[in-house]
Every structure is written in C-alpha cells, then in structure tokens.
Amino acid sequence: MPHSYLVIGGNGFLGRHIQEQIRLRKDGATISVFDMSKPADPEADVTYHTGDLRQFDDVYNALEGITAVIHCASPPHVNSSNPPRDLYFSINVDGTKNIIRACQERGVEILVVTSSGSVISTGEPMVNVDESTPYPPEAIDVYTESKIECEKVVLAANGEKNIRTCTIRPSAIFGPGDRQLLPGMIEVCEKGQHRFQIGDNSSLMDFTYVGNVAYAHVLAAEKLVDPASPAAGQAFNLTNGTPVPF
Ligand code: NAD
C-alpha cells in the first residue's frame, strides 16, 4: 500500500472524501493535502500545503516524502457561452504537466488523476459504453476538451521515469459536500426553469456517489504499487451502474 499520500485539490468536494477513504483503510498511510484554498475545518491528521499547481515549485515542495499522488483539482465545470478556456487549460493541462514532472523529479511513482465521464461523450445517447470508446472528434465543451488533453498527458506519462499513472472518469458526482450538482438543480428550480420540459422525460443519466468515486481513486493508487500493474496507463469509466431519469 502507498504509505504517504498527497491529495491535490484535497480541500474540495471529492478531495475531502478521498481523505476519508484513505483514513478508512486504517493501514497507517499519512495524508497530505495540496490546494489553493484553505480547509474550512482542518483535520488533525492532515498536513496542509497551500499553493497553486500552476506553480511548479509549489507542487515540487509539497511532494517531499510522498509515495502516491491523487490529483483531483480542477476549476468547476460551468455552463457558459463564454467558458474560461485559458483557466481550464492552464490548470487541467499545464498544471497537470507540472505535477507529472514534479513526481518524476521527486521519484514519486504513483499518480491517479480525476478525469470525467464526459471525455467520451458525443452529446448523443450513449448506452453500455466502455473504455474502448474513443474520444469524440469534437469535445462537448471547453471544460471537457481540457479534461481530454489532461487525460492524454497523464496516460502518455505512464512508464516514463518509473511513474505509473491512471485516470478515473466519474460522471456527475453526488453526496455530502456537493457544491455543483444539487446547488445547480436548486438554482434551476428557483429560476422556475423546471416548468419547461424538453423531450418526453425518458432521458437517463448516470450519477456517481462521491464515496464510491473516492474509493475508486484509493483502490487505483493501491493497484499502482505493483510495478507490473495492469491498471497502469489505463482510464477507468466510473458510474453507480444504474442510470436514473434526469
Ligand atoms: P471542487 O471544486 O469541489 O474541488 C476542486 C479543488 O481543487 C478545490 O478545493 C480547489 O481549490 C482546488 N483547485 C482548483 N484549482 C487549483 C489550483 N490551480 N491549484 C491548487 N488547487 C486547485 O471540485 P470537485 O467536484 O471535488 O471535483 C473534483 C474533480 O472531479 C475535478 O477534477 C472535476 O473535474 C472532477 N469531476 C467532478 C464531477 C462533479 O460532478 N463534481 C464530475 C466529473 C468529474
């Protein structure tokens, strides 16, 4: 098992659950968090580093003594006619390259990165798809375009300078601490937009419980301890398995 984790983006919704899943393993692994925001209520057993992953030195310094990195930092997905392209690419692509280089220079061999189920979305109905589904010729939006590039960079780094990588692709995440999904639905209701229906109400959507998403990240890191792990260099789709009307 990895004995010292750095969770990048660890003060966010998913990051806090990843901390909890590491704790629940009860295998003595230490937890460090790297995030640009400070924790609202710091945990006694966590070492906190405040920094921006776009700054190589910030990341490099936080990696001292670390054996596994779980990177779940990203700007939030916003629905906008003018999405912040530079922000998405500077953090999700250039920032992720910083993390890879810092891991390689520090000799950290294990890197698990949160991607998104949207990376294989074509915008058309997708039923029973698996990881053999290719990226679409055009991403559904700019956020997803940056997540595809991020994933390509992470998977291409697998095996370079002893680093083993994989990506986890959750679809919409729900659960305690959610700051996007439920607040977005409440906003729709508050604006009265729920009174309009597009389609016949038979659309299905896969949501994923945050505890399951966090657990998947920790399992992936544990699998990557083995230098010959078949998980290395792979992307994993992740859902709860039962689509619900949306
Ligand atoms: P979140 O906004 O709650 O957490 C992200 C954390 O990353 C925040 O604490 C933020 O401060 C940190 N961060 C952002 N930019 C940073 C930077 N430059 N340097 C350091 N820290 C930075 O988001 P979340 O919902 O927990 O999402 C976690 C991951 O899951 C992201 O990669 C996101 O793309 C992915 N994802 C989320 C969903 C969802 O429904 N929430 C669905 C699919 C994929």
Side-chain angles (χ1 to χ4, degrees), residues 2 5-8 13-15 17-19 21-22 25 68-73 110-116 147 165-171 173 208-225 231 236-238:
Y5 284 92
L6 180 70
V7 186
I8 298 182
F13 168 44
L14 174 60
H17 285 269
I18 290 172
Q19 291 181 38
Q21 290 296 326
I22 296 170
R25 302 304 270 171
V69 170
I70 298 180
H71 164 30
C72 62
I110 297 170
L111 174 63
V112 177
V113 177
T114 318
S115 179
S116 169
K147 294 297 267 186
T165 65
C166 73
T167 63
I168 306 287
R169 299 166 169 174
S171 55
I173 308 174
T208 334
Y209 177 65
V210 65
N212 293 339
V213 181
Y215 183 46
H217 284 73
V218 176
L219 283 181
E222 291 178 355
K223 290 289 176 200
L224 292 182
V225 169
F236 295 95
N237 297 348
L238 193 71

Side-chain angles (χ1 to χ4, degrees), residues 9 11-15 34-37 51-54 72-75 91 114-116 143 147 170-173 179-180:
N11 290 335
F13 168 44
L14 174 60
F34 177 92
D35 202 301
M36 65 196 305
S37 72
D52 187 327
L53 59 86
R54 289 169 290 187
C72 62
S74 170
I91 295 179
T114 318
S115 179
S116 169
Y143 160 86
K147 294 297 267 186
S171 55
I173 308 174
R179 301 189 284 198
Q180 285 184 58

Side-chain angles (χ1 to χ4, degrees), residues 19-199:
Q19 291 181 38
E20 190 56 17
Q21 290 296 326
I22 296 170
R23 229 171 255 124
L24 285 170
R25 302 304 270 171
K26 293 195 167 123
D27 57 8
T30 62
I31 307 171
S32 298
V33 160
F34 177 92
D35 202 301
M36 65 196 305
S37 72
K38 292 207 189 306
D41 42 353
E43 303 282 353
D45 62 349
V46 174
T47 302
Y48 292 98
H49 304 270
T50 305
D52 187 327
L53 59 86
R54 289 169 290 187
Q55 303 298 323
F56 176 80
D57 288 347
D58 288 0
V59 182
Y60 182 84
N61 291 337
L63 281 178
E64 188 172 5
I66 296 298
T67 56
V69 170
I70 298 180
H71 164 30
C72 62
S74 170
H77 182 196
V78 288
N79 286 318
S80 161
S81 56
N82 187 20
R85 185 182 187 87
D86 291 348
L87 183 75
Y88 284 140
F89 275 79
S90 66
I91 295 179
N92 290 343
V93 183
D94 299 338
T96 300
K97 286 180 185 167
N98 278 341
I99 294 171
I100 293 167
R101 181 159 73 90
C103 284
Q104 289 170 331
E105 291 189 12
R106 280 283 196 194
V108 180
E109 296 186 357
I110 297 170
L111 174 63
V112 177
V113 177
T114 318
S115 179
S116 169
S118 64
V119 298
I120 53 168
S121 176
T122 57
E124 296 297 317
M126 302 188 82
V127 181
N128 289 336
V129 292
D130 64 16
E131 288 80 357
S132 64
T133 307
Y135 300 120
E138 244 182 78
I140 52 168
D141 55 30
V142 172
Y143 160 86
T144 301
E145 205 183 321
S146 74
K147 294 297 267 186
I148 292 174
E149 280 313 304
C150 169
E151 195 173 270
K152 286 181 179 170
V153 161
V154 170
L155 298 179
N158 180 60
E160 277 181 7
K161 299 190 188 159
N162 282 341
I163 196 171
R164 295 180 291 287
T165 65
C166 73
T167 63
I168 306 287
R169 299 166 169 174
S171 55
I173 308 174
F174 69 95
D178 165 29
R179 301 189 284 198
Q180 285 184 58
L181 187 65
L182 208 57
M185 288 181 183
I186 291 169
E187 193 185 333
V188 163
C189 292
E190 283 174 350
K191 287 182 178 164
Q193 292 166 334
H194 64 299
R195 297 195 192 105
F196 302 92
Q197 180 175 308
I198 300 169

